[in-house]
Amino acid sequence: MESTTRLATPPAAPRPPVGLGAAMGPGAGVLSIPPASVPLSFLATAGAGLVAFGLAVAVVADDVTVAPTHPHVTATAHVAMLAFLTMAVAGALHQFGPVVGQRRLRSIAVARLSWIGLAVTTTLLPLGFARGEEDLIPVGGLIGAATVSLIVWNLSGPLGRQASGVPVWGLRLSVTLLLATVGFGVTYAFNRQTGWFPLYPHRLLAHVHLGLFGWLGVTYAAVAEKLWPMFLLAHRPRARSGAVAVAGMASGTAILATGLVFDLRALIVIGAIGIAIGIAGHVTSLCGAVRHRRRRLELLHVALFVSAAFLLVAVACALIAGIADVRPVVRS
């Protein structure tokens, strides 16, 4: 009888796993991730942008060696920064932002509209520079500014005040610096025709550093603080080096760009030191993740180490270019 009773009793329903998503409510975890078509649309377009960048480099190779500020070279640089890098990183953030913030994007429709706007911008701006069509440049800049504003508003949902942590703070800073980069570019796009402001001698360098270190660099450092421990199964006792990386690169970039625009050497040096401290924190964070890993190193980690080595080589080249008494061509 006892065995018959046991067989007749239905088994208890299994308990759902208690994790971060479950603990934070129904809007968290997997439910916060947008449809795959949202990030993949950005990433697929970025792949096409990478191919276009490679073809453009082959076409303008002679101009690069003679005149780095030639309009064709400027067009090629915008293909790299917008069509490839910004498009790819924006797509990744539409996926990664909801994961680290445990909240949904504000609007999937706005995310798709942002992809269209960014694709239009990455087409108009390079064409305007390459073909000398001055009207296309401010139009592309305005569309880009509106698109970036939509992206920032959309990401403010998962990256809002309810979220915390180094990756979240880093992404907040990076999208803020993205707005600054685009605003800087739009201002000088109109200034090419109207001459509202003085043509500061290092305005192009300031614009480039805002985009490379402020937008892309801080984003990479912030995302790495989440992905390195995850992929290496590393349980570090603390992550202060990651905070140093994000804070140093963000503040250093803002100071450096200001110094470049107004040609203030003291600010340039202070900003460069801040970026160097941020890079040192970034590399230290990587070493910490490797040291405390619970997974053996594989081929996929080789690319990570090679990229970190190139970053250190770039720092060494920057020091030589900034301190050594060399000709401008050699410094470039």
Side-chain angles (χ1 to χ4, degrees):
M1 284 294 294
E2 184 179 354
S3 60
T4 305
T5 305
R6 287 179 179 175
L7 291 175
T9 304
R15 290 184 178 182
V18 178
L20 181 61
M24 296 189 68
V30 177
L31 296 179
S32 65
I33 299 175
S37 58
V38 171
L40 288 179
S41 60
F42 286 89
L43 296 175
T45 308
L50 176 60
V51 174
F53 172 56
L55 295 174
V57 168
V59 172
V60 305
D62 292 338
D63 295 330
V64 172
T65 58
V66 177
T69 58
H70 190 281
H72 292 169
V73 181
T74 303
T76 302
H78 279 79
V79 172
M81 288 293 297
L82 294 175
F84 171 44
L85 292 171
T86 297
M87 184 72 76
V89 173
L93 286 191
H94 279 80
Q95 177 80 5
F96 189 76
V99 172
V100 296
Q102 296 293 315
R103 293 292 188 278
R104 296 184 180 92
L105 294 171
R106 291 190 180 276
S107 171
I108 299 301
V110 168
R112 301 189 192 282
L113 180 62
S114 300
W115 166 63
I116 295 173
L118 202 53
V120 172
T121 302
T122 59
T123 302
L124 293 182
L125 280 178
L127 280 178
F129 285 115
R131 298 180 60 85
E133 299 288 345
E134 288 293 327
D135 291 339
L136 291 181
I137 297 174
V139 171
L142 285 176
I143 295 175
T147 300
V148 167
S149 299
L150 289 177
I151 292 174
V152 172
W153 173 80
N154 215 355
L155 289 174
S156 67
L159 300 180
R161 287 182 296 178
Q162 73 280 357
S164 61
V166 173
V168 172
W169 279 103
L171 294 181
R172 288 173 184 166
L173 290 171
S174 73
V175 296
T176 300
L177 289 168
L178 172 61
L179 277 175
T181 305
V182 174
F184 191 104
V186 171
T187 299
Y188 277 99
F190 280 96
N191 196 55
R192 288 164 62 93
Q193 296 178 327
T194 58
W196 293 334
F197 308 105
L199 292 178
Y200 298 108
H202 302 309
R203 65 191 183 280
L204 182 59
L205 286 176
H207 186 46
V208 169
H209 281 79
L210 277 174
L212 282 176
F213 283 110
W215 157 230
L216 298 173
V218 175
T219 299
Y220 180 77
V223 170
E225 288 305 306
K226 183 73 172 180
L227 295 186
W228 285 348
M230 183 188 303
F231 292 150
L232 288 167
L233 300 180
H235 298 278
R236 298 174 294 180
R238 53 185 176 273
R240 294 178 183 173
S241 54
V244 170
V246 169
M249 293 179 69
S251 60
T253 298
I255 296 171
L256 177 62
T258 304
L260 286 171
V261 169
F262 298 106
D263 200 17
L264 300 174
R265 183 170 181 81
L267 287 184
I268 294 174
V269 172
I270 294 172
I273 292 173
I275 292 176
I277 292 173
I279 292 175
H282 182 62
V283 176
T284 301
S285 179
L286 172 60
C287 293
V290 173
R291 187 183 307 115
H292 294 91
R293 75 186 187 279
R294 296 184 180 180
R295 175 183 179 180
R296 67 184 181 87
L297 298 179
E298 302 173 7
L299 182 60
L300 61 91
H301 301 114
V302 174
L304 180 63
F305 300 145
V306 171
S307 69
F310 272 117
L311 183 61
L312 295 177
V313 171
V315 172
C317 291
L319 287 173
I320 295 172
I323 297 174
D325 185 15
V326 295
R327 292 180 296 114
V329 174
V330 177
R331 182 173 289 114
S332 297

